[in-house]
Amino acid sequence: MIHLFTHEDKRMPATEQDILQVEEKLNLKLPEDFKQLLRIANGGVVQAEKRGFPVDFPIESGDPYIDVEEIMGANEEGLLMSDYFIQEWGLPEQLVLFAGSGHAWVGFNYENPETPNVVYVEPDDGNGHNFHVIAHTFTEFVEKLTPIQ
């Protein structure tokens, strides 16, 4: 996962205190594979070679992939904004968002708090929110990222 971010924007690693603070404020445990990424870099802009997540369902952009431009870090401007975005966009409360903006989000779905999966959600798509499980783990999510064509 070390090569996920661009070199120009690779942020300093998150400290254990950063990660603990986010977990305490959100009252949950982040997946271990995601914490491993945070320990390498506390979020950042994703390389062009890893920005596309292929989908087999329609999304608002009309593209055959989700554009994962940035992964949020363990801080006030990142993961701790989840509650605000969830309220602002009327998203399901069991989410922790780590990528996206406004009309399309990627995040952890904590319906099962022991093993959160990765979901894609579009808040503007009626009251169903175009909600899809796209990976069982963060590692599986990262492994499926491809170049945007």
Side-chain angles (χ1 to χ4, degrees):
M1 279 193 240
I2 195 164
H3 301 294
L4 188 60
F5 300 118
T6 63
H7 294 291
E8 301 85 54
D9 191 54
K10 184 177 171 228
R11 299 181 188 141
M12 296 299 295
T15 65
E16 292 305 313
Q17 185 61 33
D18 294 332
I19 294 169
L20 252 167
Q21 180 181 0
V22 166
E23 290 179 328
E24 287 173 3
K25 286 188 176 183
L26 295 176
N27 195 31
L28 52 78
K29 291 287 184 195
L30 294 170
E32 189 56 41
D33 50 0
F34 186 71
K35 291 193 283 190
Q36 288 172 1
L37 177 68
L38 294 174
R39 291 178 187 118
I40 294 167
N42 196 8
V45 174
V46 177
Q47 294 181 41
E49 298 81 27
K50 306 261 187 194
R51 279 187 50 182
F53 187 93
V55 293
D56 59 358
F57 53 87
I59 62 174
E60 188 175 74
S61 69
D63 295 323
Y65 57 82
I66 300 164
D67 185 356
V68 184
E69 185 176 336
E70 182 175 359
I71 303 284
M72 295 181 206
N75 51 46
E76 295 292 333
E77 300 82 34
L79 298 175
L80 291 176
M81 292 291 294
S82 280
D83 288 342
Y84 170 79
F85 292 135
I86 286 166
Q87 184 176 19
E88 177 79 11
W89 291 95
L91 300 171
E93 291 183 14
Q94 77 273 10
L95 300 180
V96 173
L97 307 172
F98 65 80
S101 63
H103 301 280
W105 297 95
V106 177
F108 295 113
N109 174 23
Y110 278 87
E111 281 183 302
N112 179 351
E114 299 301 313
T115 56
N117 52 29
V118 178
V119 296
Y120 173 79
V121 60
E122 289 179 346
D124 293 337
D125 188 32
N127 59 9
H129 299 303
N130 199 10
F131 185 95
H132 296 272
V133 174
I134 58 173
H136 297 291
T137 65
F138 184 69
T139 299
E140 179 185 341
F141 170 78
V142 171
E143 288 172 350
K144 290 182 178 180
L145 291 173
T146 63
I148 291 179
Q149 309 275 324

